[in-house]
Amino acid sequence: MDFGTIIIMLLKGAVVSLEVFAVTMVGALTLGLLVCFLRMSKYGVLSFLAKAYISVMRGTPLMLQLLLVYFGPYYIFGISLSSSYKLIAVFIGFVLNYAAYFAEIYRSGIEGIPIGQYEAAKMLGYSRSQTFLHIIFPQVVKRIIPPVTNETITLVKDTSLAFTIAVHEMFTIAGEIAARERSVVAFIIAGGIYYVFNLLVAWAFSKLEKKLSYYR
């Protein structure tokens, strides 16, 4: 197999990896904020459930969670699903897992805001939602960019775990090529693509952090 063919095959797999990355970022950031609110809720039951969810998601391997999401419907409920469910299962597993991490990142950012800012906003006539959206949340975004960057870089690499349920993302294809050709060239190229992708992620978050530098 020539070098050009290997590149083309890996790039096709990279498209799937990018899909997993994009869906996970959108879904996990959104769900994570909801879980964060539940975690900080004054209602004990809601707070307990959110804590339990976060504990389980962070305390068990992502690979195991992917297997449960994929095989669970059949072995637990007897539901037969088509092969196209593989990618959906990856989306669900990744979103559920990363939402737990983002929830704790959000919480640390929110709890780091001085209580005086809430009191000042109240004196100025802001509602609780206005206070959060216009005063608190922009500062939270600034504070959480470094840990979110770290999690995002980890996510880029974790997309390779989709091979667990035979989703043909870049790492899976690299492994198949390496086995067929008896060469590590495909792995080296795949590693380079992951690295470049993470450089772009780090650069994008760095630019965002600079734009929000007026929040001190």
Side-chain angles (χ1 to χ4, degrees), residues 1-11 13-14 169-195:
M1 185 179 295
D2 63 88
F3 187 78
T5 303
I6 293 176
I7 292 289
I8 292 173
M9 292 180 67
L10 289 177
L11 287 178
E169 44 66 61
M170 184 167 61
F171 180 77
T172 305
I173 293 175
E176 291 176 351
I177 295 173
R180 185 186 310 147
E181 300 295 317
R182 297 183 179 181
S183 169
V184 297
V185 172
F187 283 133
I188 294 173
I189 297 173
I193 295 174
Y194 281 121
Y195 181 67

Side-chain angles (χ1 to χ4, degrees), residues 14 20 22 24 37 50 53 56 67 102 106 118 125 151 153 169 171 173 183 193-194 200 203:
V20 175
T24 302
F37 289 148
Y53 167 78
V56 170
L67 290 172
F102 287 139
Y106 280 128
Y118 293 91
E151 286 300 323
I153 288 174
E169 44 66 61
F171 180 77
I173 293 175
S183 169
I193 295 174
Y194 281 121
L200 292 174
W203 173 81

Side-chain angles (χ1 to χ4, degrees), residues 26-54:
V26 173
L29 285 171
T30 304
L31 179 59
L33 186 59
L34 174 60
V35 174
C36 171
F37 289 148
L38 295 176
R39 168 74 171 77
M40 300 175 68
S41 173
K42 295 179 181 179
Y43 299 100
V45 174
L46 295 178
S47 180
F48 172 78
L49 290 174
K51 289 178 183 178
Y53 167 78
I54 292 170

Side-chain angles (χ1 to χ4, degrees), residues 19-21 23-25 27-29 31-32 53-54 56-58 60-73 85-102 151 155 158-159 161-162 164-165 167:
E19 288 178 357
V20 175
F21 170 81
V23 171
T24 302
M25 284 299 292
L29 285 171
L31 179 59
Y53 167 78
I54 292 170
V56 170
M57 288 297 107
R58 297 199 305 171
T60 56
L62 175 56
M63 184 181 295
L64 174 61
Q65 294 166 20
L66 290 172
L67 290 172
L68 286 175
V69 172
Y70 181 61
F71 292 108
Y85 176 66
K86 289 180 181 179
L87 187 57
I88 296 174
V90 169
F91 291 156
I92 294 172
F94 270 83
V95 169
L96 291 177
N97 179 272
Y98 272 85
Y101 291 92
F102 287 139
E151 286 300 323
L155 170 59
D158 276 354
T159 56
L161 291 177
T164 305
I165 51 178
V167 170

Side-chain angles (χ1 to χ4, degrees), residues 21 25 144-157 193-211:
F21 170 81
M25 284 299 292
I144 68 174
I145 285 178
V148 168
T149 302
N150 289 336
E151 286 300 323
T152 304
I153 288 174
T154 300
L155 170 59
V156 172
K157 295 178 288 185
I193 295 174
Y194 281 121
Y195 181 67
V196 171
F197 193 5
N198 272 328
L199 284 180
L200 292 174
V201 167
W203 173 81
F205 276 104
S206 175
K207 297 290 286 185
L208 178 60
E209 189 171 12
K210 287 180 180 179
K211 285 187 178 181

